[in-house]
Amino acid sequence: MSSGQLFNVVTFGYFAAMVLFIGFLATRSVVVAKLGNLCAYIGFVVQTFAIGLRWYETYQVPGANGYAPMSNLYESVVFFSWTILLIYIMIDLKYKYRAVGAFVLPFAFLAMAWAQLGLNDAIAPLVPALQSNWLTYHVITCFLGYAAFAVACGVSIMYLIKVRKQKNAGDGSSPAGGIVGLFPSAKILDDLNYKAIMIGFPLLSLGIITGAAWANYAWGTYWSWDPKETWSLIVWFIYAAFLHARITRGWAGRRAAFLSIIGFAATIFCYLGVNLLLAGLHSYGS
Amino acid sequence: MSTKQRGVPSSIWEFFCSLKLTIFSLISLAVTSIIGTVLQQNLTRKQYLAVFSKDTYEFLNDLQFFDMYHSWWFIGLLVLFCINLTCCSIKRFPRVWRIVHHPNVTPTEQQLKAFSNADERLVKGDIKTVAEKMGNFLAENFAAAKVFEKDGITYLYAEKRKYARFGVYVTHLSILVIFLGAIIGNIYGFKGYVNIPEGGSVSQIWLRNVEAPLPLGFDVHCDDFSVSFYGDSQRPKEFRSVLSIVDGGEVKIDHRPTVVNDPLSYKGLTFYQSSYGPAGAGAVAIKVKVRGEDKADAFTLQRGETAELPGGDRVKVVDCTATFRNFGPAAQLAVTSRDGERQIVTVFKNFAKFDEQRNGKYIFTLVDFNQLYYTGLQVTKDPGVMVVWLGCTMLILGCLVAFFISHQRMWVVISEQKDKVGVRFVGTSHRNQPAFELYFDELKYKFRDALSQD
């Protein structure tokens, strides 16, 4: 058994969970939602084990010293989907809003599918620049932050659908029908969005700081306006604007939800777009 | 203050204090920052002219788009952002200071009615015993209370985690501290580089864009440099310089291995392993045997050097390298016979029998290859960096306090109501109201229990 095979199981698990959650929106059957959650939870446990197994496998390569499996694009995408599930499970345990799964699991499934089908999963020992404990701290904090933003983005989309439906239905108090009826109330969605970003923002800040500390330790420059650094700062600016927007009259609600979605789009660009489209320091060792 | 009465200075002040300005400056910073990630920064004029027409180049150059993070308008936005957060903090801070240090311990009837978390009871007994009971209740379930009296009414006031109010100001201040660190680094720091050949030493370094070298005041000696690879692959495993520092004739640091991610620091300067290259021509040790004979001659030759062979022919080292494809050390030799006939021979250190199969007059073997390297070190001094880390720590702690800790306050107001005692219990939290509501609802039951006990 290899970690690669287990990751295939995980991909299937998240796919099943996603389909079941969407099925839940259609059927409103609590059993379907519970099955979806079961798939998601099992997938998460298997993924946790598989990441551990891959960590072990890095030690088995001849001549290699082993490393935390977060150093190339494949490993980071796998880790990203793991962090999304981690944040999702935390929210699920606390709030139990089942409809949220339908808007969060697709991100985790797409990440796993892309990693398994489109990315090179070879275990390559680390080049000198990556041989640092800062790598682990940097990646863990960044991706936990990214995952919180992914959840916030999913919740913001739900919020926008909800308020639009309520507006169309006339006054805000009438129960919106159909799928939207299963959503938590707009107030709760707005609050969840805020809570997710409250978790994500310090983590992103810490991710930027650990990256700066690492750069300073490896090159003697904590900030060099490299495109990756700059984009992480752009993301930071957007979420800082979000946090202030919520307490500004006229900016709470819809505009804040839009900022959250734009913030996540910038996050994804920072994570992938910079590497795939722009030149810079973070080449994922390719 | 109404809009009509507002003078020019105060409306300027209000402008710099406004949250709309905060959102504007944050979004402007986010949007403009994109430019420098799309346009490559700080290339030469010639490189830009290869991409842009002269007019476009001049236009973008006038806008300082080619060094935008140091342009007047980007720095201007950062300054605006700093002024805004300073003004916001100054405006709001005195009120928060008052709440923390001079809380309203005796709220008026009107103020009491405004609390959404409230409970009220009428009980028998006298104010003193009820106040005692309530003091115990607060101390047991929340925090020790202070007792106040005003106009025959007794007030108990208790609070928790009042420092949480300062989280946001610590966060704001942290950004100014980080900028301060960056400014210190820009004024008092520098970045330079130096190349040292193996066995050599230097006492000065070169700064970027500066002609004259900068004397260090001590010597940096490179004892050794090596590159290692993973197995037979080309994937580098380690770049390693062994450095010593001699200051005033005394060895201060002796044979310190310096690798990427583990720099060497001395007297405020830090040396980072950053590049390497060959220093001088490589040298090879070769053995030559005439086919059929047992005796072998050994030579040590530099690249380009020639030696005479036993039969009067000559051999020259044309080229040599530490890694030829994946075959390891190799040398290219030119053998010239006495009548001028020239033949090229390639030998590998890892394949000793290789040249035997050539069936030539001579059998060459490459015993060893030796290439001296220079190590390229980046040298930096940045006295602002600790200030930056201080700012970063404040940023994280400030955020955590501001987001996750709330200042909670509770009052118990006890007054005479005809022949009974009226007890009012109110509470508030400066953030995260929903969670506080649940907490307060639970406390209500305990409050009632405490009152009904004798």
Side-chain angles (χ1 to χ4, degrees), chain B residues 284-306:
Chain B
V284 290
I286 53 171
K287 267 189 189 168
V288 190
K289 246 168 55 168
V290 178
R291 188 171 289 278
E293 289 181 18
D294 279 342
K295 193 175 140 283
D297 287 299
F299 300 93
T300 300
L301 301 172
Q302 298 236 315
R303 185 186 282 129
E305 214 178 331
T306 306

Side-chain angles (χ1 to χ4, degrees), chain A residues 207-227:
Chain A
I208 295 174
I209 292 167
T210 50
W214 183 14
N216 189 55
Y217 202 57
W219 298 298
T221 319
Y222 55 84
W223 195 262
S224 55
W225 294 105
D226 159 83

Side-chain angles (χ1 to χ4, degrees), chain B residues 89-110:
Chain B
S89 305
I90 290 174
K91 184 184 172 188
R92 289 165 178 78
F93 192 76
R95 198 186 133 251
V96 169
W97 184 262
R98 211 166 47 239
I99 288 174
V100 169
H101 289 277
H102 309 286
N104 177 12
V105 291
T106 56
T108 62
E109 180 64 27
Q110 212 174 358

Side-chain angles (χ1 to χ4, degrees), chain A residues 74-91:
Chain A
Y74 170 81
E75 289 164 347
S76 80
V77 172
V78 168
F79 185 66
F80 183 38
S81 81
W82 184 83
T83 53
I84 291 175
L85 257 288
L86 180 72
I87 302 274
Y88 168 73
I89 286 173
M90 280 163 54
I91 288 180

Side-chain angles (χ1 to χ4, degrees), chain A residues 8-53:
Chain A
N8 278 331
V9 174
V10 174
T11 313
F12 182 75
Y14 292 165
F15 176 71
M18 178 180 82
V19 170
L20 285 164
F21 277 122
I22 293 168
F24 163 67
L25 293 186
T27 63
R28 298 183 171 216
S29 154
V30 177
V31 178
V32 174
K34 282 192 172 160
L35 277 175
N37 246 356
L38 186 69
C39 286
Y41 277 59
I42 290 175
F44 180 73
V45 171
V46 175
Q47 190 174 18
T48 310
F49 180 72
I51 290 174
L53 182 61

Side-chain angles (χ1 to χ4, degrees), chain A residues 217-247:
Chain A
Y217 202 57
W219 298 298
T221 319
Y222 55 84
W223 195 262
S224 55
W225 294 105
D226 159 83
K228 191 83 163 183
E229 289 172 350
T230 310
W231 269 96
S232 70
L233 189 65
I234 291 170
V235 172
W236 192 89
F237 282 140
I238 295 173
Y239 285 111
F242 170 90
L243 291 170
H244 290 91
R246 263 189 112 258
I247 51 169

Side-chain angles (χ1 to χ4, degrees), chain B residues 19 50 63 80 113 146 168 218 242 282 293 348 355 377 388:
Chain B
L19 271 166
L63 291 173
L80 181 69
K113 274 186 179 153
K146 285 178 188 160
V168 61
F218 53 85
V242 180
E293 289 181 18
F348 298 94
D355 196 48
L377 302 174
V388 171

